[in-house]
Amino acid sequence: NAGVTQTPKFRILKIGQSMTLQCAQDMNHNYMYWYRQDPGMGLKLIYYSVGAGITDKGEVPNGYNVSRSTTEDFPLRLELAAPSQTSVYFCASSYTTGRETQYFGPGTRLLVL
Amino acid sequence: GENVEQHPSTLSVQEGDSAVIKCTYSDSASNYFPWYKQELGKRPQLIIDIRSNVGEKKDQRIAVTLNKTAKHFSLHITETQPEDSAVYFCAASKGNAGNMLTFGGGTRLMVKP
């Protein structure tokens, strides 16, 4: 199993540009998550999904969108990049309620200039 | 919503000494408390977790204790080694649909040889 994979590893965006961060898992997990981690800080939940077609906002959803058309994939969309979105983005997944361990991907480092 | 506070933010110990990191949570409905270790430039990885029906759990040099009445839990690392140097995050979850975790701000542990 590859576990949770993310692409790209690193990206530089100009202000106002758009991009999609890709996330995939091959563990047949129902739940998936997107976090951002600013330098020297903890993890903040952006969006999460409890299954294909079902998504919900986390703590810091503004400026982002998600979709979940399959169990495996959970892309994160930035529509109009802003310098405040400079961060490391982690995708994670877990089984279901009662099996809470979250497994993280390697992260995407995003720099908005 | 849930709020998790973590102390200290940095901790420096001599190799072989013990290290203790403490977290408090605000929501008495939280029932799952994992600890993650994040090495520089890497993804967070689960090192130990505890559920609210257990007061203490050990795994070799690592132990976690939970005081539900006081709403705090702690990570104990004995016989620290240089490879224990990393940032440690505590988290809390109510175990409801989505298994959402609220993370503490992190503790940077430095083990001096």
Side-chain angles (χ1 to χ4, degrees), chain A residues 10-87:
Chain A
F10 175 66
R11 181 79 181 268
I12 299 175
L13 278 183
K14 294 182 180 179
I15 294 171
Q17 286 187 320
S18 300
M19 78 165 293
T20 299
L21 284 67
Q22 301 291 345
C23 173
Q25 53 89 12
D26 62 359
M27 297 177 282
N28 204 30
H29 285 173
N30 290 323
Y31 297 168
M32 296 187 75
Y33 314 85
W34 274 106
Y35 294 92
R36 61 176 287 172
Q37 184 177 36
D38 297 334
M41 304 293 283
L43 295 126
K44 302 280 188 188
L45 182 65
I46 305 171
Y47 270 96
Y48 70 100
S49 168
V50 298
I54 307 169
T55 63
D56 208 346
K57 296 177 181 178
E59 185 182 357
V60 290
N62 291 344
Y64 307 94
N65 276 300
V66 294
S67 60
R68 185 132 180 241
S69 56
T70 67
T71 300
E72 294 78 20
D73 301 295
F74 190 39
L76 177 72
R77 179 83 178 160
L78 281 72
E79 289 295 347
L80 291 170
S84 60
Q85 293 177 306
T86 292
S87 192

Side-chain angles (χ1 to χ4, degrees), chain A residues 4 31 33 35 37 40-43 45 48 50 90 94-106 109, chain B residues 31-32 36 38 41-46 49 51 89 93-106 108:
Chain A
V4 181
Y31 297 168
Y33 314 85
Y35 294 92
Q37 184 177 36
M41 304 293 283
L43 295 126
L45 182 65
Y48 70 100
V50 298
F90 287 101
S94 71
Y95 279 105
T96 61
T97 304
R99 300 181 68 183
E100 297 93 337
T101 302
Q102 291 190 16
Y103 299 86
F104 284 80
R109 186 175 299 274
Chain B
N31 58 15
Y32 173 69
Y36 283 82
Q38 186 179 30
K42 304 285 188 177
R43 75 190 80 186
Q45 292 196 300
L46 180 75
D49 56 12
R51 298 185 184 278
F89 292 98
S93 170
K94 287 188 276 191
N96 51 0
N99 290 342
M100 285 175 289
L101 293 175
T102 301
F103 283 87
R108 181 173 300 277

